Amino acid sequence: MNKFTSATLLLYLVAVLAQLLTWADLSGAERSTRVVGFLLVGALLTAILSLGGSRDKNSPDD
């Protein structure tokens, strides 16, 4: 895991933690929207990070 992957995951986890701290203040509709949004962002980050990892493995060695 490189420093960019670590930083990306850390920022995502901080955002999730911030949402958990304000969870009680949200209505049911807002909660549903936030959950779907975080799942979509998490899936997108996973796809981007996995593509970056596979690209590094396929690059020629110098």
Side-chain angles (χ1 to χ4, degrees):
M1 187 181 289
N2 64 26
K3 62 183 178 182
F4 299 114
T5 303
S6 299
T8 302
L9 293 175
L10 180 64
L11 285 174
Y12 182 72
L13 291 176
V14 167
V16 170
L17 179 62
Q19 288 300 311
L20 288 176
L21 292 175
T22 60
W23 193 254
D25 298 334
L26 301 175
S27 68
E30 287 176 314
R31 288 180 186 174
S32 298
T33 303
R34 299 277 173 98
V35 167
V36 170
F38 272 99
L39 288 174
L40 289 173
V41 170
L44 181 64
L45 284 176
T46 302
I48 291 170
L49 293 175
S50 67
L51 285 176
S54 66
R55 184 179 56 181
D56 291 341
K57 291 176 187 173
N58 293 334
S59 64
D61 292 330
D62 291 339

Coordinates of all heavy atoms in Angstrom, one line a residue:
M1 N 0.9 -1.2 0.0 CA 0.0 0.0 0.0 C 0.9 1.2 0.0 O 1.7 1.4 0.9 CB -0.9 0.0 1.2 CG -1.9 1.0 1.3 SD -3.0 1.0 2.7 CE -4.0 -0.4 2.5
N2 N 0.7 2.1 -1.0 CA 1.6 3.3 -1.1 C 0.9 4.4 -0.3 O -0.2 4.3 0.3 CB 1.8 3.7 -2.5 CG 0.6 4.1 -3.3 OD1 -0.4 4.5 -2.7 ND2 0.6 4.0 -4.6
K3 N 1.6 5.6 -0.2 CA 1.2 6.7 0.6 C -0.1 7.3 0.1 O -0.9 7.8 0.9 CB 2.3 7.7 0.8 CG 2.7 8.4 -0.5 CD 3.8 9.3 -0.3 CE 4.3 9.9 -1.6 NZ 5.4 10.8 -1.4
F4 N -0.4 7.3 -1.2 CA -1.6 7.8 -1.7 C -2.8 7.0 -1.4 O -3.9 7.5 -1.1 CB -1.5 8.0 -3.3 CG -0.4 8.9 -3.7 CD1 0.7 8.5 -4.3 CD2 -0.4 10.3 -3.3 CE1 1.8 9.3 -4.7 CE2 0.6 11.1 -3.7 CZ 1.7 10.7 -4.3
T5 N -2.6 5.7 -1.4 CA -3.7 4.8 -1.1 C -4.0 5.0 0.4 O -5.2 5.0 0.8 CB -3.3 3.3 -1.3 OG1 -3.0 3.2 -2.7 CG2 -4.4 2.4 -1.0
S6 N -3.0 5.0 1.2 CA -3.2 5.2 2.7 C -3.9 6.5 3.0 O -4.8 6.6 3.8 CB -1.9 5.2 3.4 OG -1.2 3.9 3.2
A7 N -3.5 7.6 2.3 CA -4.1 8.9 2.5 C -5.6 8.9 2.0 O -6.4 9.5 2.7 CB -3.3 10.0 1.7
T8 N -5.8 8.3 0.9 CA -7.2 8.2 0.4 C -8.1 7.4 1.4 O -9.2 7.9 1.7 CB -7.2 7.5 -0.9 OG1 -6.4 8.2 -1.8 CG2 -8.6 7.4 -1.5
L9 N -7.7 6.3 1.9 CA -8.5 5.5 2.8 C -8.6 6.3 4.2 O -9.7 6.2 4.8 CB -7.8 4.2 3.1 CG -7.8 3.2 1.9 CD1 -7.0 2.0 2.2 CD2 -9.2 2.9 1.4
L10 N -7.6 7.0 4.6 CA -7.7 7.7 5.8 C -8.7 8.9 5.7 O -9.5 9.1 6.6 CB -6.3 8.3 6.2 CG -6.3 9.1 7.5 CD1 -6.7 8.2 8.7 CD2 -4.9 9.7 7.7
L11 N -8.7 9.6 4.6 CA -9.7 10.7 4.4 C -11.1 10.1 4.3 O -12.0 10.7 4.8 CB -9.3 11.4 3.1 CG -8.2 12.4 3.2 CD1 -7.8 12.9 1.8 CD2 -8.4 13.5 4.2
Y12 N -11.3 9.0 3.7 CA -12.6 8.4 3.6 C -13.1 8.0 5.0 O -14.2 8.2 5.3 CB -12.6 7.2 2.7 CG -13.9 6.5 2.5 CD1 -14.9 7.1 1.7 CD2 -14.2 5.3 3.1 CE1 -16.2 6.5 1.6 CE2 -15.4 4.7 2.9 CZ -16.4 5.3 2.2 OH -17.6 4.7 2.0
L13 N -12.2 7.4 5.8 CA -12.6 7.0 7.1 C -12.9 8.2 8.0 O -13.8 8.1 8.8 CB -11.5 6.1 7.7 CG -11.4 4.7 7.1 CD1 -10.2 4.0 7.7 CD2 -12.6 3.9 7.3
V14 N -12.2 9.3 7.8 CA -12.5 10.5 8.6 C -13.9 11.0 8.2 O -14.6 11.4 9.1 CB -11.4 11.5 8.4 CG1 -11.8 12.9 8.9 CG2 -10.1 11.1 9.1
A15 N -14.2 11.0 6.9 CA -15.5 11.4 6.5 C -16.6 10.6 7.1 O -17.7 11.1 7.5 CB -15.6 11.4 5.0
V16 N -16.4 9.3 7.1 CA -17.4 8.3 7.7 C -17.5 8.6 9.2 O -18.7 8.7 9.7 CB -17.0 6.9 7.4 CG1 -17.9 5.9 8.2 CG2 -17.1 6.6 5.9
L17 N -16.4 8.8 9.9 CA -16.5 9.1 11.3 C -17.2 10.4 11.5 O -18.1 10.5 12.5 CB -15.1 9.2 11.9 CG -15.0 9.5 13.3 CD1 -15.7 8.4 14.2 CD2 -13.5 9.6 13.7
A18 N -17.0 11.4 10.7 CA -17.7 12.7 10.9 C -19.2 12.5 10.7 O -20.0 13.1 11.4 CB -17.2 13.7 9.9
Q19 N -19.6 11.7 9.8 CA -21.0 11.4 9.6 C -21.6 10.6 10.7 O -22.8 10.9 11.1 CB -21.2 10.6 8.3 CG -21.0 11.4 7.0 CD -22.0 12.6 7.0 OE1 -23.2 12.5 7.1 NE2 -21.4 13.8 6.7
L20 N -20.9 9.7 11.3 CA -21.4 9.0 12.4 C -21.6 9.9 13.6 O -22.5 9.7 14.4 CB -20.4 7.8 12.8 CG -20.4 6.7 11.8 CD1 -19.3 5.7 12.2 CD2 -21.7 6.0 11.7
L21 N -20.7 10.9 13.8 CA -20.9 11.8 14.9 C -22.1 12.7 14.8 O -22.7 13.2 15.8 CB -19.6 12.6 15.1 CG -18.4 11.9 15.5 CD1 -17.2 12.8 15.5 CD2 -18.6 11.2 16.9
T22 N -22.6 12.9 13.6 CA -23.8 13.8 13.4 C -25.0 12.9 13.0 O -26.0 13.5 12.6 CB -23.5 14.8 12.3 OG1 -23.2 14.1 11.0 CG2 -22.3 15.7 12.6
W23 N -24.9 11.6 13.1 CA -26.0 10.7 12.7 C -27.3 11.0 13.3 O -28.4 11.0 12.7 CB -25.6 9.3 12.9 CG -26.4 8.3 12.3 CD1 -27.3 7.5 12.9 CD2 -26.4 7.9 10.9 NE1 -27.9 6.6 11.9 CE2 -27.4 6.9 10.7 CE3 -25.8 8.4 9.8 CZ2 -27.7 6.4 9.5 CZ3 -26.0 7.9 8.5 CH2 -27.0 6.8 8.4
A24 N -27.3 11.3 14.6 CA -28.6 11.5 15.4 C -29.3 12.8 14.9 O -30.5 12.9 15.1 CB -28.2 11.6 16.9
D25 N -28.6 13.7 14.3 CA -29.2 15.0 13.9 C -29.9 14.9 12.6 O -30.6 15.8 12.1 CB -28.2 16.1 13.9 CG -27.6 16.4 15.2 OD1 -28.2 16.1 16.2 OD2 -26.4 16.9 15.2
L26 N -29.7 13.8 11.9 CA -30.3 13.6 10.5 C -31.6 13.0 10.5 O -31.9 12.1 11.4 CB -29.3 12.8 9.7 CG -27.9 13.3 9.5 CD1 -27.1 12.3 8.7 CD2 -27.9 14.7 8.8
S27 N -32.5 13.3 9.5 CA -33.8 12.7 9.4 C -33.6 11.3 8.7 O -32.5 11.0 8.2 CB -34.7 13.5 8.6 OG -34.3 13.6 7.2
G28 N -34.6 10.5 8.6 CA -34.5 9.2 8.0 C -34.2 9.3 6.5 O -33.4 8.5 6.0
A29 N -34.7 10.3 5.8 CA -34.4 10.5 4.4 C -33.0 10.9 4.2 O -32.3 10.4 3.2 CB -35.4 11.5 3.8
E30 N -32.5 11.8 5.0 CA -31.1 12.2 4.9 C -30.1 11.1 5.2 O -29.1 10.9 4.5 CB -30.8 13.4 5.9 CG -31.4 14.7 5.5 CD -31.2 15.8 6.5 OE1 -31.4 15.5 7.7 OE2 -30.8 16.9 6.1
R31 N -30.5 10.2 6.2 CA -29.6 9.1 6.5 C -29.6 8.1 5.3 O -28.5 7.7 5.0 CB -30.2 8.4 7.7 CG -30.0 9.1 9.0 CD -30.6 8.3 10.1 NE -30.5 9.1 11.4 CZ -31.1 8.7 12.5 NH1 -31.7 7.5 12.6 NH2 -31.0 9.5 13.6
S32 N -30.7 7.9 4.7 CA -30.7 7.0 3.6 C -29.8 7.5 2.4 O -29.1 6.8 1.8 CB -32.1 6.8 3.0 OG -32.9 6.2 4.0
T33 N -30.0 8.8 2.2 CA -29.2 9.4 1.1 C -27.7 9.4 1.4 O -26.9 9.1 0.6 CB -29.6 10.9 0.9 OG1 -31.0 10.9 0.7 CG2 -28.9 11.6 -0.2
R34 N -27.3 9.6 2.7 CA -25.9 9.6 3.1 C -25.3 8.2 3.0 O -24.2 8.0 2.5 CB -25.8 10.1 4.5 CG -26.2 11.5 4.7 CD -25.1 12.5 4.3 NE -25.6 13.9 4.3 CZ -25.4 14.7 5.3 NH1 -24.7 14.3 6.4 NH2 -25.9 16.0 5.3
V35 N -26.1 7.2 3.4 CA -25.6 5.8 3.3 C -25.4 5.4 1.9 O -24.3 4.9 1.5 CB -26.6 4.8 4.0 CG1 -26.3 3.4 3.6 CG2 -26.6 5.0 5.5
V36 N -26.3 5.7 1.0 CA -26.1 5.4 -0.4 C -24.9 6.1 -1.0 O -24.1 5.6 -1.7 CB -27.4 5.7 -1.2 CG1 -27.2 5.6 -2.7 CG2 -28.5 4.7 -0.8
G37 N -24.8 7.4 -0.7 CA -23.7 8.2 -1.1 C -22.3 7.6 -0.7 O -21.4 7.5 -1.5
F38 N -22.3 7.2 0.6 CA -21.0 6.7 1.1 C -20.7 5.3 0.5 O -19.5 5.0 0.2 CB -21.0 6.6 2.6 CG -20.5 7.9 3.2 CD1 -21.4 8.8 3.7 CD2 -19.1 8.1 3.3 CE1 -20.9 10.0 4.3 CE2 -18.7 9.3 3.8 CZ -19.6 10.2 4.3
L39 N -21.7 4.5 0.2 CA -21.5 3.2 -0.4 C -21.0 3.4 -1.9 O -20.1 2.7 -2.3 CB -22.8 2.4 -0.4 CG -23.2 1.8 0.9 CD1 -24.5 1.1 0.8 CD2 -22.1 0.9 1.4
L40 N -21.6 4.4 -2.6 CA -21.1 4.7 -3.9 C -19.7 5.2 -4.0 O -18.9 4.8 -4.8 CB -22.1 5.7 -4.6 CG -23.5 5.1 -5.0 CD1 -24.4 6.2 -5.5 CD2 -23.3 4.0 -6.0
V41 N -19.4 6.1 -3.1 CA -18.1 6.7 -3.0 C -17.1 5.6 -2.6 O -16.0 5.5 -3.2 CB -18.0 7.9 -2.0 CG1 -16.6 8.3 -1.8 CG2 -18.8 9.1 -2.6
G42 N -17.4 4.8 -1.7 CA -16.5 3.7 -1.3 C -16.3 2.7 -2.5 O -15.1 2.3 -2.7
A43 N -17.3 2.4 -3.2 CA -17.2 1.5 -4.4 C -16.3 2.2 -5.4 O -15.4 1.5 -6.0 CB -18.5 1.2 -5.0
L44 N -16.5 3.5 -5.7 CA -15.6 4.2 -6.6 C -14.2 4.2 -6.2 O -13.3 4.0 -7.0 CB -16.2 5.6 -6.8 CG -15.5 6.5 -7.8 CD1 -15.6 5.9 -9.2 CD2 -16.1 7.9 -7.8
L45 N -13.9 4.5 -4.9 CA -12.6 4.5 -4.4 C -11.9 3.1 -4.5 O -10.7 3.0 -4.9 CB -12.5 5.0 -3.0 CG -12.7 6.5 -2.7 CD1 -12.8 6.7 -1.2 CD2 -11.6 7.3 -3.4
T46 N -12.7 2.1 -4.2 CA -12.1 0.7 -4.3 C -11.8 0.4 -5.8 O -10.7 -0.1 -6.1 CB -13.2 -0.3 -3.8 OG1 -13.5 0.0 -2.5 CG2 -12.7 -1.7 -3.9
A47 N -12.6 0.8 -6.7 CA -12.3 0.6 -8.1 C -11.1 1.4 -8.6 O -10.2 0.8 -9.3 CB -13.5 1.0 -9.0
I48 N -11.0 2.6 -8.2 CA -9.9 3.4 -8.6 C -8.6 2.9 -8.0 O -7.6 2.8 -8.7 CB -10.1 4.9 -8.2 CG1 -11.2 5.5 -9.0 CG2 -8.8 5.7 -8.3 CD1 -11.6 6.9 -8.6
L49 N -8.6 2.5 -6.7 CA -7.4 2.0 -6.1 C -7.0 0.7 -6.6 O -5.8 0.4 -6.8 CB -7.6 2.0 -4.6 CG -7.7 3.3 -3.9 CD1 -8.0 3.1 -2.4 CD2 -6.5 4.2 -4.1
S50 N -8.0 -0.2 -7.0 CA -7.6 -1.5 -7.5 C -7.0 -1.3 -8.9 O -6.2 -2.1 -9.3 CB -8.8 -2.4 -7.5 OG -9.8 -2.0 -8.4
L51 N -7.6 -0.4 -9.7 CA -7.0 -0.2 -11.1 C -5.6 0.4 -11.0 O -4.7 0.0 -11.8 CB -7.9 0.8 -11.8 CG -9.2 0.3 -12.4 CD1 -10.0 1.4 -13.0 CD2 -9.0 -0.8 -13.3
G52 N -5.3 1.2 -10.0 CA -4.0 1.8 -9.8 C -3.0 0.7 -9.4 O -1.9 0.7 -9.9
G53 N -3.5 -0.2 -8.6 CA -2.6 -1.3 -8.2 C -2.3 -2.3 -9.3 O -1.2 -2.8 -9.5
S54 N -3.3 -2.6 -10.1 CA -3.1 -3.5 -11.3 C -2.2 -2.9 -12.3 O -1.4 -3.5 -13.0 CB -4.4 -4.0 -11.8 OG -5.1 -2.9 -12.4
R55 N -2.3 -1.6 -12.5 CA -1.5 -0.9 -13.4 C 0.0 -0.9 -13.0 O 0.9 -1.1 -13.8 CB -1.9 0.6 -13.6 CG -1.2 1.3 -14.6 CD -1.6 2.7 -14.8 NE -1.6 3.4 -13.5 CZ -2.0 4.6 -13.3 NH1 -2.5 5.4 -14.2 NH2 -1.9 5.2 -12.0
D56 N 0.2 -0.8 -11.7 CA 1.6 -0.8 -11.2 C 2.2 -2.2 -11.4 O 3.4 -2.3 -11.7 CB 1.7 -0.5 -9.7 CG 1.3 1.0 -9.4 OD1 1.5 1.8 -10.4 OD2 1.0 1.3 -8.3
K57 N 1.4 -3.3 -11.2 CA 1.9 -4.6 -11.4 C 2.3 -4.9 -12.8 O 3.1 -5.8 -13.1 CB 0.9 -5.6 -10.9 CG 0.7 -5.6 -9.4 CD -0.4 -6.5 -8.9 CE -0.7 -6.3 -7.5 NZ -1.8 -7.1 -7.0
N58 N 1.6 -4.3 -13.8 CA 1.8 -4.6 -15.2 C 2.8 -3.7 -15.8 O 3.2 -3.9 -17.0 CB 0.4 -4.4 -16.0 CG -0.6 -5.5 -15.6 OD1 -0.2 -6.6 -15.2 ND2 -1.8 -5.1 -15.7
S59 N 3.3 -2.7 -15.1 CA 4.3 -1.9 -15.7 C 5.7 -2.6 -15.8 O 6.0 -3.4 -14.9 CB 4.5 -0.6 -14.9 OG 4.9 -0.9 -13.6
P60 N 6.5 -2.3 -16.8 CA 7.8 -3.0 -16.9 C 8.7 -2.5 -15.9 O 8.7 -1.3 -15.5 CB 8.2 -2.6 -18.3 CG 7.5 -1.3 -18.7 CD 6.2 -1.4 -17.9
D61 N 9.6 -3.4 -15.5 CA 10.6 -3.0 -14.5 C 11.8 -2.3 -15.2 O 12.2 -2.6 -16.3 CB 11.2 -4.3 -13.8 CG 10.1 -4.9 -12.9 OD1 9.2 -4.2 -12.4 OD2 10.2 -6.2 -12.8
D62 N 12.3 -1.3 -14.5 CA 13.4 -0.5 -15.1 C 14.7 -1.2 -14.7 O 15.0 -1.7 -13.8 CB 13.4 0.9 -14.5 CG 12.3 1.7 -15.1 OD1 11.7 1.3 -16.1 OD2 11.9 2.7 -14.5

